[in-house]
């Protein structure tokens, strides 16, 4: 798989799942790639594919100073990126009645929402200046169809992704007259660590490599709203047409996503409860 349109890319959440598939595809295409994540062995394995074109970074994406330092080092060594993919994210069930889950919501918002703005910020001016010289650039935020409507037991994740969708809409409007494009990616269910513990049906489950191929092709074409796979978007929209009580009744009948600490839950880095 090749992605000839991109020569210099930054990918957060590159340790596994979609982020790793995106990084692998970009490295294979010949791009210079900043590999950003928290699991050093996984990042080092990716960098070994093309050590002369890759660098590994391990900032907390919600830490503005750490991400700014990463951006400064990457730009000094490899130049201004033409593609920044803010993919880092966490997921988990949420129960408002549990005081300990308030920390889960805070941390999820820090990573899934603030982390995207923190990732874009240090590159934005340089990418805009690059655009004034006729060189296009793309900012990609990985949201979710879960951000289209709240789901029982998943309030923190849905809120973080809904906020991200609104943020990307705002940023897109601000950059509309520039050479920078802003892309909102709404995956449904991908076969990753974030979905491994799900105890409910996952229609349209997509492999990360195929999702990465479709995502990069859509960004290259200039598609602003990308749903992976498309049929999960159709299903979500169809459900949203139902009366709210019926919609909620259907979802209430599904098993809940595991909360932090429960069997099948995924790790939330930096969570303090």
């Amino acid at each position: 798989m090749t992605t000839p349109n991109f020569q210099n890319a930054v990918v957060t959440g590159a340790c596994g799942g979609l982020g790793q598939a995106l990084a692998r595809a970009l490295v294979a295409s010949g791009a210079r790639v900043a590999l950003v994540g928290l699991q050093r062995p996984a990042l080092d394995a990716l960098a070994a594919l093309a050590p002369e074109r890759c660098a590994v970074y391990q900032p907390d994406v919600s830490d503005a100073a750490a991400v700014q330092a990463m951006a400064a080092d990457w730009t000094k060594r490899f130049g201004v990126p033409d593609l920044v993919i803010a993919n880092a994210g966490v997921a988990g069930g949420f129960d408002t009645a549990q005081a300990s889950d308030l920390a889960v919501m805070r941390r999820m918002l820090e990573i899934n929402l603030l982390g995207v703005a923190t990732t874009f910020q240090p590159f934005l001016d340089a990418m805009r200046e690059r655009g004034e010289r006729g060189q296009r650039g793309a900012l990609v935020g990985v949201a979710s169809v879960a951000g289209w409507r709240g789901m029982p037991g998943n309030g923190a994740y849905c809120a973080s992704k809904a906020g991200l969708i609104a943020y990307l809409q705002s940023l897109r409007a601000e950059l509309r007259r520039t050479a920078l494009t802003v892309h909102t990616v709404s995956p449904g269910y991908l076969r990753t660590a974030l979905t491994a513990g799900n105890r409910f049906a996952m229609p349209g489950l997509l492999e990360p490599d195929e999702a990465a191929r479709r995502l990069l092709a859509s960004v290259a074409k200039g598609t602003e709203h990308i749903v992976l796979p498309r049929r999960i978007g159709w299903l979500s929209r169809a459900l949203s047409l139902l009366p709210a009580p019926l919609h909620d009744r259907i979802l209430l009948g599904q098993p809940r996503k595991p909360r932090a600490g429960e069997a099948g839950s995924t790790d939330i880095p930096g969570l303090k409860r």
Side-chain angles (χ1 to χ4, degrees):
M1 174 172 59
T2 61
T3 52
N5 295 281
F6 308 115
Q7 300 176 1
N8 184 321
V10 176
V11 181
T12 69
C15 297
L18 178 61
Q20 187 177 88
L22 287 165
R24 199 165 44 237
L26 288 161
V27 170
S29 76
R32 303 183 294 279
V33 185
L35 303 165
V36 184
L38 297 178
Q39 298 172 26
R40 186 78 195 207
L43 298 176
D44 284 344
L46 283 171
L49 298 174
E52 73 286 358
R53 293 188 279 110
C54 295
V56 168
Y57 301 96
Q58 293 182 275
D60 177 336
V61 293
S62 67
D63 182 337
V67 176
Q68 288 162 2
M70 174 274 291
D73 182 77
W74 173 259
T75 302
K76 181 179 179 180
R77 294 172 62 188
F78 293 95
V80 177
D82 55 10
L83 175 67
V84 177
I85 303 178
N87 167 73
V90 293
F94 179 78
D95 185 346
T96 302
Q98 303 300 319
S100 60
D101 276 13
L102 296 177
V104 171
M105 175 175 269
R106 182 178 298 108
R107 188 62 182 143
M108 208 169 289
L109 289 168
E110 287 175 348
I111 296 172
N112 293 359
L113 177 53
L114 176 62
V116 176
T118 302
T119 297
F120 291 162
Q121 183 276 320
F123 295 108
L124 193 54
D125 281 345
M127 291 180 74
R128 193 154 36 194
E129 290 173 7
R130 186 177 176 276
E132 292 172 356
R133 299 192 298 271
Q135 298 171 296
R136 304 193 66 81
L139 301 168
V140 179
V142 179
S144 171
V145 293
W148 297 2
R149 193 185 191 287
M151 297 186 292
N154 210 16
Y157 184 73
C158 292
S160 70
K161 295 301 186 178
L164 175 54
I165 290 169
Y167 163 68
L168 293 170
Q169 289 172 335
S170 300
L171 184 61
R172 183 178 300 112
E174 294 166 13
L175 298 175
R176 186 66 76 182
R177 296 181 180 178
T178 74
L180 295 186
T181 54
V182 177
H183 306 264
T184 303
V185 183
S186 294
Y189 298 111
L190 306 184
R191 196 184 300 277
T192 69
L194 292 184
T195 61
N198 287 355
R199 299 174 292 213
F200 45 81
M202 294 186 285
L205 187 65
L206 196 61
E207 297 295 334
D209 286 343
E210 177 61 16
R213 184 191 69 78
R214 296 185 191 185
L215 188 159
L216 292 171
S218 295
V219 173
K221 289 191 297 184
T223 305
E224 294 180 348
H225 301 277
I226 303 164
V227 182
L228 302 169
R230 276 190 243 177
R231 63 180 176 275
I232 195 65
W234 299 332
L235 176 59
S236 295
R237 290 189 178 97
L239 284 172
S240 70
L241 296 176
L242 296 174
L246 177 56
H247 181 281
D248 293 343
R249 194 177 308 128
I250 292 171
L251 293 183
L252 281 168
Q254 299 295 312
R256 300 290 183 92
K257 192 171 184 68
R259 294 170 49 237
E262 292 182 343
S265 65
T266 52
D267 181 50
I268 300 179
L271 176 63
K272 298 176 181 179
R273 304 178 72 181

